[in-house]
């Protein structure tokens, strides 16, 4: 009986690992559908990620990329989770004021 070469077994395992990672990411992303969000991507440390969808007003010019969000509506932000929870408390489309630090 012939055995599968090692490189093919490793490729199969890598494929399974990549699929698991993709499904995990998709599951997390689906949780945000239909939910209010700041209009920009925020990393765990509260810094605005250098990424966005064309047409997002907050990221169109890229001026806030790599800036830390420090306040929402004049109130200090503890961390990214705090920001997202507070934004979620507003209806979609509500204009919000943010303060950033370079």
């Amino acid at each position: 009986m012939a055995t599968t070469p090692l490189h093919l077994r490793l490729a199969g395992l890598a494929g399974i690992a990549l699929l698991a990672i993709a499904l995990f990411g998709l599951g997390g992303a689906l949780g945000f559908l239909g939910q209010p969000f700041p209009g920009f991507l925020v990393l765990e440390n509260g810094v605005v990620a250098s990424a966005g969808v064309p047409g997002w007003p907050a990221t169109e010019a890229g001026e806030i990329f790599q800036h830390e969000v420090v306040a929402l509506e004049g109130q200090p932000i503890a961390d990214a989770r705090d920001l997202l929870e507070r934004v979620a408390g507003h209806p979609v489309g509500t204009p919000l004021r943010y303060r950033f630090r370079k």
Side-chain angles (χ1 to χ4, degrees), residues 74-91:
Q75 301 298 313
I77 297 294
D79 54 28
R81 182 179 303 263
D82 180 34
L83 172 67
L84 295 175
E85 287 173 359
R86 289 173 48 195
V87 167
H90 294 85

PDB file of all heavy atoms in Angstrom, residues 74-91:
ATOM      1  N   GLY A  74     -16.890  63.890  23.504  1.00  0.00           N
ATOM      2  CA  GLY A  74     -16.265  64.614  24.604  1.00  0.00           C
ATOM      3  C   GLY A  74     -15.947  63.781  25.828  1.00  0.00           C
ATOM      4  O   GLY A  74     -15.362  64.283  26.785  1.00  0.00           O
ATOM      5  N   GLN A  75     -16.309  62.496  25.822  1.00  0.00           N
ATOM      6  CA  GLN A  75     -16.053  61.603  26.952  1.00  0.00           C
ATOM      7  C   GLN A  75     -14.893  60.671  26.620  1.00  0.00           C
ATOM      8  O   GLN A  75     -14.858  60.083  25.541  1.00  0.00           O
ATOM      9  CB  GLN A  75     -17.300  60.775  27.270  1.00  0.00           C
ATOM     10  CG  GLN A  75     -18.517  61.610  27.626  1.00  0.00           C
ATOM     11  CD  GLN A  75     -18.273  62.442  28.872  1.00  0.00           C
ATOM     12  OE1 GLN A  75     -17.782  61.952  29.887  1.00  0.00           O
ATOM     13  NE2 GLN A  75     -18.588  63.731  28.799  1.00  0.00           N
ATOM     14  N   PRO A  76     -13.926  60.537  27.540  1.00  0.00           N
ATOM     15  CA  PRO A  76     -12.761  59.675  27.278  1.00  0.00           C
ATOM     16  C   PRO A  76     -13.161  58.229  26.961  1.00  0.00           C
ATOM     17  O   PRO A  76     -14.163  57.729  27.457  1.00  0.00           O
ATOM     18  CB  PRO A  76     -11.982  59.722  28.587  1.00  0.00           C
ATOM     19  CG  PRO A  76     -12.466  60.940  29.293  1.00  0.00           C
ATOM     20  CD  PRO A  76     -13.888  61.147  28.862  1.00  0.00           C
ATOM     21  N   ILE A  77     -12.347  57.611  26.124  1.00  0.00           N
ATOM     22  CA  ILE A  77     -12.529  56.212  25.733  1.00  0.00           C
ATOM     23  C   ILE A  77     -11.518  55.371  26.506  1.00  0.00           C
ATOM     24  O   ILE A  77     -10.329  55.691  26.521  1.00  0.00           O
ATOM     25  CB  ILE A  77     -12.263  56.048  24.215  1.00  0.00           C
ATOM     26  CG1 ILE A  77     -13.266  56.848  23.391  1.00  0.00           C
ATOM     27  CG2 ILE A  77     -12.273  54.585  23.803  1.00  0.00           C
ATOM     28  CD1 ILE A  77     -14.673  56.379  23.490  1.00  0.00           C
ATOM     29  N   ALA A  78     -11.974  54.286  27.122  1.00  0.00           N
ATOM     30  CA  ALA A  78     -11.068  53.405  27.863  1.00  0.00           C
ATOM     31  C   ALA A  78     -10.255  52.519  26.915  1.00  0.00           C
ATOM     32  O   ALA A  78      -9.055  52.343  27.091  1.00  0.00           O
ATOM     33  CB  ALA A  78     -11.855  52.545  28.848  1.00  0.00           C
ATOM     34  N   ASP A  79     -10.922  51.957  25.915  1.00  0.00           N
ATOM     35  CA  ASP A  79     -10.260  51.065  24.964  1.00  0.00           C
ATOM     36  C   ASP A  79     -11.197  50.855  23.770  1.00  0.00           C
ATOM     37  O   ASP A  79     -12.290  51.421  23.719  1.00  0.00           O
ATOM     38  CB  ASP A  79      -9.872  49.740  25.614  1.00  0.00           C
ATOM     39  CG  ASP A  79     -11.038  49.032  26.301  1.00  0.00           C
ATOM     40  OD1 ASP A  79     -12.204  49.233  25.878  1.00  0.00           O
ATOM     41  OD2 ASP A  79     -10.802  48.281  27.249  1.00  0.00           O
ATOM     42  N   ALA A  80     -10.765  50.035  22.832  1.00  0.00           N
ATOM     43  CA  ALA A  80     -11.562  49.813  21.618  1.00  0.00           C
ATOM     44  C   ALA A  80     -12.917  49.198  21.945  1.00  0.00           C
ATOM     45  O   ALA A  80     -13.927  49.566  21.347  1.00  0.00           O
ATOM     46  CB  ALA A  80     -10.794  48.922  20.644  1.00  0.00           C
ATOM     47  N   ARG A  81     -12.952  48.290  22.893  1.00  0.00           N
ATOM     48  CA  ARG A  81     -14.229  47.650  23.264  1.00  0.00           C
ATOM     49  C   ARG A  81     -15.199  48.697  23.804  1.00  0.00           C
ATOM     50  O   ARG A  81     -16.379  48.704  23.474  1.00  0.00           O
ATOM     51  CB  ARG A  81     -13.996  46.552  24.293  1.00  0.00           C
ATOM     52  CG  ARG A  81     -15.272  45.816  24.686  1.00  0.00           C
ATOM     53  CD  ARG A  81     -14.985  44.721  25.690  1.00  0.00           C
ATOM     54  NE  ARG A  81     -14.007  43.778  25.193  1.00  0.00           N
ATOM     55  CZ  ARG A  81     -14.301  42.622  24.618  1.00  0.00           C
ATOM     56  NH1 ARG A  81     -15.558  42.278  24.468  1.00  0.00           N
ATOM     57  NH2 ARG A  81     -13.358  41.817  24.201  1.00  0.00           N
ATOM     58  N   ASP A  82     -14.692  49.613  24.638  1.00  0.00           N
ATOM     59  CA  ASP A  82     -15.508  50.697  25.179  1.00  0.00           C
ATOM     60  C   ASP A  82     -16.072  51.545  24.042  1.00  0.00           C
ATOM     61  O   ASP A  82     -17.257  51.875  24.014  1.00  0.00           O
ATOM     62  CB  ASP A  82     -14.671  51.549  26.133  1.00  0.00           C
ATOM     63  CG  ASP A  82     -15.439  52.709  26.738  1.00  0.00           C
ATOM     64  OD1 ASP A  82     -16.653  52.568  26.990  1.00  0.00           O
ATOM     65  OD2 ASP A  82     -14.806  53.758  26.988  1.00  0.00           O
ATOM     66  N   LEU A  83     -15.224  51.875  23.080  1.00  0.00           N
ATOM     67  CA  LEU A  83     -15.666  52.670  21.926  1.00  0.00           C
ATOM     68  C   LEU A  83     -16.789  51.962  21.179  1.00  0.00           C
ATOM     69  O   LEU A  83     -17.837  52.545  20.908  1.00  0.00           O
ATOM     70  CB  LEU A  83     -14.497  52.942  20.982  1.00  0.00           C
ATOM     71  CG  LEU A  83     -14.863  53.594  19.644  1.00  0.00           C
ATOM     72  CD1 LEU A  83     -15.361  55.013  19.859  1.00  0.00           C
ATOM     73  CD2 LEU A  83     -13.692  53.574  18.699  1.00  0.00           C
ATOM     74  N   LEU A  84     -16.585  50.701  20.846  1.00  0.00           N
ATOM     75  CA  LEU A  84     -17.579  49.960  20.073  1.00  0.00           C
ATOM     76  C   LEU A  84     -18.896  49.816  20.832  1.00  0.00           C
ATOM     77  O   LEU A  84     -19.977  49.939  20.246  1.00  0.00           O
ATOM     78  CB  LEU A  84     -17.029  48.591  19.674  1.00  0.00           C
ATOM     79  CG  LEU A  84     -15.837  48.627  18.722  1.00  0.00           C
ATOM     80  CD1 LEU A  84     -15.294  47.225  18.484  1.00  0.00           C
ATOM     81  CD2 LEU A  84     -16.177  49.299  17.416  1.00  0.00           C
ATOM     82  N   GLU A  85     -18.826  49.588  22.142  1.00  0.00           N
ATOM     83  CA  GLU A  85     -20.048  49.464  22.943  1.00  0.00           C
ATOM     84  C   GLU A  85     -20.811  50.788  22.977  1.00  0.00           C
ATOM     85  O   GLU A  85     -22.037  50.808  22.876  1.00  0.00           O
ATOM     86  CB  GLU A  85     -19.710  49.007  24.361  1.00  0.00           C
ATOM     87  CG  GLU A  85     -19.303  47.550  24.434  1.00  0.00           C
ATOM     88  CD  GLU A  85     -18.797  47.144  25.804  1.00  0.00           C
ATOM     89  OE1 GLU A  85     -18.730  47.999  26.722  1.00  0.00           O
ATOM     90  OE2 GLU A  85     -18.461  45.950  25.966  1.00  0.00           O
ATOM     91  N   ARG A  86     -20.081  51.886  23.111  1.00  0.00           N
ATOM     92  CA  ARG A  86     -20.749  53.181  23.178  1.00  0.00           C
ATOM     93  C   ARG A  86     -21.334  53.586  21.826  1.00  0.00           C
ATOM     94  O   ARG A  86     -22.417  54.152  21.754  1.00  0.00           O
ATOM     95  CB  ARG A  86     -19.789  54.226  23.723  1.00  0.00           C
ATOM     96  CG  ARG A  86     -19.567  53.960  25.224  1.00  0.00           C
ATOM     97  CD  ARG A  86     -18.525  54.782  25.882  1.00  0.00           C
ATOM     98  NE  ARG A  86     -18.617  56.199  25.603  1.00  0.00           N
ATOM     99  CZ  ARG A  86     -17.633  57.043  25.847  1.00  0.00           C
ATOM    100  NH1 ARG A  86     -16.508  56.611  26.378  1.00  0.00           N
ATOM    101  NH2 ARG A  86     -17.770  58.315  25.576  1.00  0.00           N
ATOM    102  N   VAL A  87     -20.621  53.278  20.743  1.00  0.00           N
ATOM    103  CA  VAL A  87     -21.151  53.566  19.404  1.00  0.00           C
ATOM    104  C   VAL A  87     -22.407  52.726  19.161  1.00  0.00           C
ATOM    105  O   VAL A  87     -23.381  53.221  18.586  1.00  0.00           O
ATOM    106  CB  VAL A  87     -20.081  53.295  18.321  1.00  0.00           C
ATOM    107  CG1 VAL A  87     -20.693  53.278  16.938  1.00  0.00           C
ATOM    108  CG2 VAL A  87     -18.981  54.342  18.396  1.00  0.00           C
ATOM    109  N   ALA A  88     -22.401  51.477  19.613  1.00  0.00           N
ATOM    110  CA  ALA A  88     -23.550  50.586  19.413  1.00  0.00           C
ATOM    111  C   ALA A  88     -24.808  51.107  20.106  1.00  0.00           C
ATOM    112  O   ALA A  88     -25.919  50.724  19.734  1.00  0.00           O
ATOM    113  CB  ALA A  88     -23.222  49.184  19.912  1.00  0.00           C
ATOM    114  N   GLY A  89     -24.651  52.002  21.059  1.00  0.00           N
ATOM    115  CA  GLY A  89     -25.793  52.574  21.752  1.00  0.00           C
ATOM    116  C   GLY A  89     -26.493  53.675  20.981  1.00  0.00           C
ATOM    117  O   GLY A  89     -27.479  54.241  21.468  1.00  0.00           O
ATOM    118  N   HIS A  90     -26.008  54.005  19.796  1.00  0.00           N
ATOM    119  CA  HIS A  90     -26.617  55.045  18.957  1.00  0.00           C
ATOM    120  C   HIS A  90     -27.238  54.405  17.719  1.00  0.00           C
ATOM    121  O   HIS A  90     -26.723  53.429  17.195  1.00  0.00           O
ATOM    122  CB  HIS A  90     -25.558  56.063  18.512  1.00  0.00           C
ATOM    123  CG  HIS A  90     -24.981  56.856  19.625  1.00  0.00           C
ATOM    124  ND1 HIS A  90     -23.930  56.396  20.386  1.00  0.00           N
ATOM    125  CD2 HIS A  90     -25.319  58.062  20.126  1.00  0.00           C
ATOM    126  CE1 HIS A  90     -23.632  57.300  21.300  1.00  0.00           C
ATOM    127  NE2 HIS A  90     -24.463  58.317  21.172  1.00  0.00           N
ATOM    128  N   PRO A  91     -28.319  54.971  17.207  1.00  0.00           N
ATOM    129  CA  PRO A  91     -28.892  54.440  15.959  1.00  0.00           C
ATOM    130  C   PRO A  91     -27.904  54.585  14.793  1.00  0.00           C
ATOM    131  O   PRO A  91     -27.094  55.516  14.773  1.00  0.00           O
ATOM    132  CB  PRO A  91     -30.123  55.328  15.721  1.00  0.00           C
ATOM    133  CG  PRO A  91     -30.429  55.946  17.045  1.00  0.00           C
ATOM    134  CD  PRO A  91     -29.121  56.054  17.774  1.00  0.00           C
TER     135      PRO A  91
END
